[in-house]
Amino acid sequence: MTCAEFSFHVPSLEELAGVMQKGLKDNFADVQVSVVDCPDLTEEPFTFPVKGICGKTRIAEVGGVPYLLPLVNQKKVYDLNKIAKEIKLPGAFILGAGAGPFQTLGFNSEFMPVIQTESEHKPPVNGSYFAHVNPADGGCLLEKYSEKHHDFECALLANLFASEGQPGKVIEVKAKRRTGPLNFVTCMRQTLEKHYGNKPVGMGGTFIIQKGKVKSHIMVRAHVCSFWFGLPVLVSRDPSICGFDLRLEHTHFFSHHGEGGHYHYDTTPDTVEYLGYFLPAEFLYRIDQPKESHSIGRD
Ligand SMILES: [Zn+2]
């Protein structure tokens, strides 16, 4: 597998908070961005396998849409324990968006990796979800991967945010009532692109949609009382002159009420409330980049 490495520009958290505060204001009525201690992610509502998203942050983009379209490339299966070693962080805690391992599941699915990869000291923990269309009624089925399978794989393409999973300082973003056309993640990414220009910045983490509804590939449905959890991975600009063929933003989400998928935007701008925790990434790794590319299916 090919693997290219790039060092991101890494602004201080205080600076980044200021930049995001200003940028998000153009798109949301009520914005509060600050530097805080990462909430304990092992607790409700997150219940992740680690306490935080801090330490040796990295973004990895693995594979790409050309392995999915026009035809599924059956060979493209990736073990996230191996990916963690590839990005020089064995034992990494990995969040993000990808395609589920079709060879195990028997069908294609949206994959939400939440994985503590294997290390010398700890066995791996797979808290990932996958979502697919229920053949019975055309609705959405969200399942916890580890309830049926014991591998740590995904397939075809993945956008990943990796860290040591430590507690520490993070950027907290509260954004309420969307007044502009951009979705939450696109607004953050464009803000970074505008401010940092040819010094690419990468960012990842997790957010909760506390109120409102979401549009995804698989479903649009209202669950006003429940949270949606998003796992965004974003890069302000492709740093390579030849092009890493990056997907500059990719967000999958899940919920504890049985629905999840690929996040496009919220459909309730007047009531939507986002609460997120993010960190800039130190490095970008481009793994198994497709040799031949196209621009289909990147939204
Ligand atoms: Zn997706």
Side-chain angles (χ1 to χ4, degrees):
M1 267 194 310
T2 59
C3 181
E5 183 182 329
F6 172 80
S7 297
F8 278 121
H9 175 62
V10 187
S12 74
L13 298 189
E14 287 72 20
E15 177 186 313
L16 209 43
V19 170
M20 304 245 287
Q21 172 75 37
K22 204 162 154 270
L24 282 161
K25 265 278 183 198
D26 291 341
N27 209 65
F28 290 90
D30 187 355
V31 178
Q32 266 178 283
V33 185
S34 45
V35 179
V36 302
D37 287 313
C38 190
D40 186 344
L41 301 179
T42 61
E43 291 181 0
E44 293 283 343
F46 294 98
T47 62
F48 289 171
V50 298
K51 284 189 183 295
I53 52 167
C54 304
K56 300 190 176 167
T57 49
R58 285 129 161 70
I59 283 174
E61 175 153 352
V62 185
V65 179
Y67 296 153
L68 170 69
L69 298 170
L71 285 174
V72 170
N73 183 332
Q74 303 280 347
K75 288 184 209 134
K76 296 301 178 185
V77 175
Y78 306 101
D79 181 335
L80 290 184
N81 286 318
K82 287 189 189 140
I83 296 290
K85 290 181 185 131
E86 195 86 23
I87 63 174
K88 299 174 190 161
L89 199 62
F93 173 56
I94 295 177
L95 292 172
F102 53 81
Q103 81 295 351
T104 309
L105 295 170
F107 47 80
N108 282 318
S109 63
E110 306 275 344
F111 195 61
M112 303 70 173
V114 181
I115 295 179
Q116 164 82 69
T117 58
E118 70 185 358
S119 66
E120 283 174 23
H121 325 284
K122 272 192 239 160
V125 182
N126 199 344
S128 305
Y129 294 83
F130 65 101
H132 58 114
V133 177
N134 185 348
D137 62 4
C140 173
L141 266 181
L142 179 82
E143 297 179 68
K144 213 162 180 190
Y145 191 77
S146 64
E147 280 171 9
K148 290 194 174 154
H149 304 285
H150 301 288
D151 60 85
F152 290 81
E153 289 175 345
C154 70
L156 306 173
L157 58 93
N159 297 79
L160 307 170
F161 179 78
S163 71
E164 292 179 318
Q166 300 290 335
K169 295 288 182 199
V170 293
I171 293 173
E172 179 186 72
V173 178
K174 293 178 181 169
K176 292 180 192 172
R177 288 186 293 123
R178 185 163 55 80
T179 50
L182 301 178
N183 81 42
F184 182 55
V185 178
T186 302
C187 184
M188 290 199 292
R189 190 185 67 72
Q190 290 194 3
T191 296
L192 297 178
E193 216 237 332
K194 222 161 127 186
H195 189 85
Y196 292 105
N198 60 9
K199 290 190 283 183
V201 171
M203 212 168 70
T206 183
F207 66 82
I208 311 171
I209 299 172
Q210 296 173 296
K211 271 189 195 167
K213 306 173 197 178
V214 180
K215 165 89 173 85
S216 87
H217 275 341
I218 297 185
M219 38 38 75
V220 193
R221 197 109 54 96
H223 278 272
V224 179
C225 305
S226 333
F227 289 165
W228 306 91
F229 299 82
L231 306 173
V233 178
L234 50 128
V235 173
S236 64
R237 183 183 283 190
D238 192 332
S240 167
I241 297 163
C242 326
F244 284 141
D245 190 22
L246 293 182
R247 192 163 187 154
L248 294 177
E249 54 182 86
H250 198 181
T251 305
H252 281 186
F253 69 93
F254 64 91
S255 64
H256 296 317
H257 55 261
E259 291 177 334
H262 176 106
Y263 166 80
H264 285 286
Y265 49 84
D266 64 79
T267 58
T268 49
D270 296 339
T271 53
V272 77
E273 292 188 18
Y274 290 93
L275 168 64
Y277 299 97
F278 307 103
L279 273 184
E282 295 169 14
F283 296 100
L284 169 70
Y285 291 86
R286 185 67 176 101
I287 298 170
D288 198 25
Q289 178 178 348
K291 282 197 187 70
E292 282 169 40
S293 197
H294 53 58
S295 57
I296 311 160
R298 309 301 171 91
D299 64 332

